[in-house]
Amino acid sequence: MQIQLTWEDPVTGELRQPVFNIPLALGREIGQMPTNLDGQQVSRAVFRSEEISRFHAFIGLVNGQMSIADRSANGTFVNGQKIHRTSQLIASGDTLQIGPYNVMIGLLVTTEANPTKILTQESTIIFNPNTNILSSQVSEAQKNTDPSPPISFNPDTDAIATNLPQIPHVPNTLTAFPPPDLFAVDQVSIESLHATGKQVQETTYAAIGGGMGTFVWVDTIRIAGVTREEITVISLENKPYGRYQRLCRNSQIPPHERIRSGSDSCPDNIWGWPGYAQREAVKKIISGQLGSGLKHLWQVFSEPVFADTYTPQAQNVFASMDREAKRIGWAEMLNYGRVRGIRKTDDGRYAIAYSVPTPNSSSEHRFLLAKYIHLATGYPAIRFLPDLQEYRAKTGDFKSVVNAYEEHEHVYEHLARQGGIVIVRGRGIVASRILQRLHEIRRSSNQINIIHLMQSPKPQGNKFGFAQRYVENQWEFQPYNWPKGTWGGDMRAILEAATPQGRYEMLTALGGTTTASRQDWRHIVKTGMQAGWYTIKFGQVERVESVAGKLITYIKSGNYEGIEKIKADFMIDSTGLEAKPKDNPLLDDLITHYNLLLNPFGRLHVANDFEIVEMRHDKSRIYAAGVMTLGGPYAPVDTFLGLQYAAHRSAEALARAKAPKIHHIEGIRSLWQWLKWATNQSP
């Protein structure tokens, strides 16, 4: 059975309406309680107040009816009547007062009603948790466990491997680290960690992920006053932009090309000024390219109405991050390794189990104790359309059908030599860049034809209130002011105040980010359609087959009866990256072990300061950022600006909680720290 509780945070005013499985424990710090007397897993509702006992009350079923049992020192009020160390039947519509919280009891529903909406059922290419790139090695035990078809990459070349089974998530049973018995409990004893004989390290702040989200958080708390000696970063990347750089390269954004991000979304500069446009303009003007420099300044002044939105070159973004990484001491904070599990400890901290790969293909296992943790693990997998996954599994053909995010340079090399027909699927940012690359090749080989396959027409853009997105030739546009627009103002206020379901409905109406209205590739679409080498087709794909060396795609459209066959040489899936937390072994373990809440998007339920409240442990905290928080208080969570927003909110929350050596970044401190940034001095 499930129960919905509704309450408003008395400090922040945040409204929450989570759905829990019954039995349910309520309190400030729920200790070890994996099951109740009937062997059922116990859910946890955590409230922020010293007036609330660690284990305050317990909601269960008595003869099919809900009952609350008070276990606290101060008692619990049910509809205004105090109960203390006793039990009372409750029903939908009743009100509980627990400390300063007034909690409304919602409808009781059966567990068959899933509170998490499943938006898609798509196949995935899982990033290898051992390399942080993509799957390349599996053990014999894994092969025997899951003989399903392969979707993986060689981490050394980014090339597709064609003979590997999909990796199931069974790390503990296969590697015995962390020891299953040790991490089976909710609170691990410090003594038991030392008893393993493994190295046990200690830190104050631990950042897990090592990518862009981790980098901006570490950068923010360093600027806020935390020393590098108190921060440990665990990552399988030497550079914080390592995986992002590979994905850019594979999706046809080489170093000299411009990434899909605005001028003021600067991972290396929390103030956003000077932005990338100003920096590039100054360099151009100094080098004598006055016209080019002024053009960039005009872009940021007049975008997106009178000029295309400015976007920075990939190489400039990465170079600026290298500078900032050196300034804050990134290398000194970095511990190379893969996190395998997180548990609360019996002394109010968290134990992080991680493995360090060694040259002989084995791993050195360690534990890290931390008081504050930041999770920013990014996208765990590449999304792959089910019909294309089925085709590759059946044929073993990893050359003709590719994903835009995997290495597929052979497609363009073949087309440049021999021409051919390409089917592109997806119509977002990545698809626009694939189209641009194909057009560049077509300039020297006009024997290339593009078929853009879409499920259905897009007669009008998403609409919210009086605002509506513009659609041209089935492409929906959204300038890069989307992240800016959600940083503050009405949109943020509405999202922060909304219920999880309200956020779901609002974000669904808004439609998320799309590609920007850029004149260059809009011109490609128009001229391609006029000349006939670019065509758009609508329909539902029935299946994909290989006949005489050609791809045959069978589609069914609502405009006519029967099946249409489309012949092509290659198919590029540009539908994007997968974002389900359950696809990440670490997050899946946390969600399962601590019964963490998921929002209606199937992502982690976080507070407005991006804390995973259910993981609160005494004064210790865990925060999250990135796509795993989609559906929370901020809309474009996986943008540069979104990552900075989450870092800022969590850093401010830590300062309010009086975490060690962290201060609010405001006033004189902010100005002083900006001057240090500008002169490249350590924070």
Side-chain angles (χ1 to χ4, degrees), residues 251 498 541 557 577:
S251 60
V541 175
S557 173
L577 296 167

Side-chain angles (χ1 to χ4, degrees), residues 526-589:
K526 291 178 181 178
T527 56
M529 294 181 72
Q530 293 171 356
W533 53 264
Y534 173 82
T535 58
I536 298 175
K537 288 185 176 291
F538 304 103
Q540 182 69 40
V541 175
E542 295 284 313
R543 65 186 185 280
V544 180
E545 295 179 350
S546 179
V547 179
K550 297 287 185 180
L551 290 174
I552 306 296
T553 302
Y554 298 83
I555 66 170
K556 184 175 182 179
S557 173
N559 298 329
Y560 55 83
E561 296 293 331
I563 302 294
E564 180 181 359
K565 294 193 297 185
I566 304 176
K567 182 185 293 186
D569 298 283
F570 298 98
M571 184 178 294
I572 303 177
D573 179 0
S574 305
T575 52
L577 296 167
E578 190 53 81
K580 302 186 190 78
K582 298 285 284 183
D583 282 333
N584 181 299
L586 172 63
L587 298 182
D588 183 34
D589 176 68

Side-chain angles (χ1 to χ4, degrees), residues 25 40 134 189 221 223 225 258 296 333 358 374 412 458 470 479 515 531 577 636 638 650 656 667-668 682:
Q40 295 175 287
L134 292 160
S189 72
I221 65 172
I223 291 169
R258 297 187 179 276
H296 296 319
M333 295 179 282
T358 60
H374 185 265
Y412 308 107
K458 187 76 174 177
Y470 174 65
T515 193
L577 296 167
D638 61 340
S650 60
R656 287 193 300 271
I668 297 300
S682 178

Side-chain angles (χ1 to χ4, degrees), residues 617-628:
H617 188 40
D618 195 12
K619 294 183 179 181
S620 298
R621 308 282 189 270
I622 295 184
Y623 297 89
V627 72
M628 73 176 79

Side-chain angles (χ1 to χ4, degrees), residues 170-185:
V170 283
N172 289 355
T173 56
L174 292 177
T175 64
F177 185 81
D181 293 341
L182 179 65
F183 266 39
V185 298

